[in-house]
Amino acid sequence: MIAFRKSMSLIAAAVAFVAAPAQAQTMPANKQMRIIVPYSAGGTSDILGRKLAQQLGERLGRQVIVDNKAGAGGAIGTEATVRADADGTTLLLHSGAIATEPAIKSKLPYDVTKDLVAVTTVVKGPFALVVSNDLPVKSVAELIAYAKANPGKVNYGTPGTGTSVHFATEYFKAMAKAPITHVPYKGASAALTALMANEVQMVIDPLATAKKYAEAGKMRALGVTTAQRTELWPQLPTIAESGVPGFDTAVWYGMYAPAKTPPATVAALNKELVAILQSDEMRKWLSQEGLEPVADKPAQSQEFLRKEIERWQSLAKSAGIQTE
């Protein structure tokens, strides 16, 4: 009996040993595997991409590099992915801007819903609504009331026209019916600097950054943008519970591959990425970055992208958001 159990253990170990490389063999072993990040090095996309590349490489037993292809609001990196070999060796890690871009640009050289296939929605995280310390409000309800009583006196900053932050704030403006004015800057840090100087009075910013500045007393946090409160900042109420019922939007990142990538390869990549994202180590690391794992199935991720594009196209039309 002992010999039989030992034999079965050896067989199980052998099967596990063979199974791991088998997943890697769904992709050409002699090609460099890369994750394209359509932004410059150093930002959240790049940091997340490098963490995932390291973990994915370890699981697949091969090197995975990050290839930064910045420019045109993410379009350069996206197009490079669309044109890459559909064999699983090229992936795209994109932010929620992959959904806002089609809403405002009619001349893109690709259609993300047709030319890419979703592998998984990687992570999501709340934005936080923060205001200048000089603004005499201490809640979202007071902010809305102040803006309505003082039209033209509440300006909001963003990293630029058409960004996910811009859309999130226009979404707030529409749902709250608040007369606030857009002031675009060249990057998130410039918008936050303007807020601290009271050049603008309001910014919606990813939670990790906003929390750091708010806790340092440089701005005042009023609420988070997700439908539910977040464990990352549990004492901060949601915008939805603070005067704008139904308000719900988030920072998110998804992983994509060229559309003709074989379904079996997409499924294998999904399995590896889900395992990475659900690990205790990754959850802890993401929490420090103000993010939470999503790790959904490819079909769920594809449907999520489609709905996000529809959502922002509708808002762009009603709010008159244009960059072309």
Side-chain angles (χ1 to χ4, degrees):
M1 190 66 177
I2 294 174
F4 175 76
R5 289 178 178 172
K6 184 175 181 181
S7 176
M8 292 302 293
S9 297
L10 288 172
I11 290 170
V15 169
F17 177 79
V18 171
Q23 292 178 0
Q25 288 167 10
T26 62
M27 296 167 284
N30 60 345
K31 285 183 66 176
Q32 176 65 64
M33 190 171 179
R34 60 180 177 156
I35 296 175
I36 291 179
V37 172
Y39 301 105
S40 301
T44 301
S45 299
D46 179 65
I47 294 168
L48 178 60
R50 292 182 188 280
K51 184 71 172 178
L52 290 171
Q54 175 199 347
Q55 298 274 322
L56 187 60
E58 290 175 1
R59 289 188 65 88
L60 295 178
R62 62 191 293 168
Q63 184 186 40
V64 181
I65 66 167
V66 168
D67 187 0
N68 297 95
K69 290 188 178 296
I76 291 175
T78 304
E79 185 174 9
T81 308
V82 166
R83 297 185 182 281
D85 292 338
D87 56 13
T89 59
T90 297
L91 299 173
L92 171 71
L93 178 69
H94 210 319
S95 69
I98 196 173
T100 60
E101 188 182 49
I104 55 174
K105 294 182 180 179
S106 60
K107 299 178 181 178
L108 289 170
Y110 51 78
D111 181 335
V112 295
T113 61
K114 295 178 180 178
D115 297 326
L116 294 173
V117 60
V119 178
T120 189
T121 309
V122 179
V123 294
K124 68 176 181 179
F127 290 108
L129 190 161
V130 287
V131 297
S132 165
N133 286 330
D134 293 337
L135 199 67
V137 302
K138 294 184 179 180
S139 69
V140 171
E142 288 182 7
L143 168 64
I144 295 168
Y146 181 87
K148 289 179 177 179
N150 298 274
K153 290 189 177 182
V154 179
N155 300 315
Y156 73 88
T158 72
T161 300
T163 58
S164 54
V165 167
H166 180 202
F167 272 81
T169 317
E170 281 293 329
Y171 176 47
F172 172 79
K173 177 180 179 179
M175 290 196 69
K177 297 180 174 58
I180 56 178
T181 304
H182 182 210
V183 180
Y185 290 87
K186 292 182 178 180
S189 61
L192 289 171
T193 299
L195 181 69
M196 288 183 276
N198 199 37
E199 291 176 12
V200 293
Q201 289 68 50
M202 169 186 160
V203 168
I204 286 180
D205 194 64
L207 180 141
T209 312
K211 185 178 183 183
K212 177 179 67 175
Y213 283 115
E215 289 183 338
K218 296 181 178 180
M219 55 190 66
R220 185 180 304 122
L222 302 185
V224 292
T225 63
T226 43
Q228 305 296 328
R229 292 196 185 198
T230 173
E231 293 180 1
L232 305 175
W233 204 349
Q235 67 271 36
L236 199 62
T238 67
I239 291 173
E241 69 182 89
S242 305
V244 191
F247 189 86
D248 181 20
T249 191
V251 183
W252 61 270
Y253 292 87
M255 192 75 80
Y256 306 90
K260 294 182 180 180
T261 304
T265 302
V266 174
L269 287 165
N270 174 270
K271 182 178 180 181
E272 299 299 342
L273 287 166
V274 166
I276 291 167
L277 292 165
Q278 290 181 344
S279 70
D280 291 341
E281 176 196 347
M282 195 65 172
R283 285 178 180 275
K284 183 178 179 180
W285 183 85
L286 288 171
S287 178
Q288 294 169 352
E289 299 296 319
L291 299 167
E292 300 167 328
V294 177
D296 53 5
K297 295 294 185 182
Q300 294 171 315
S301 184
Q302 196 79 31
E303 179 65 7
F304 172 72
L305 175 61
R306 185 189 67 79
K307 287 183 177 180
E308 282 290 285
I309 292 172
E310 287 183 354
R311 175 192 197 184
W312 300 130
Q313 282 176 332
S314 177
L315 180 64
K317 184 176 180 179
S318 63
I321 303 172
Q322 295 179 330
T323 60
E324 300 181 335

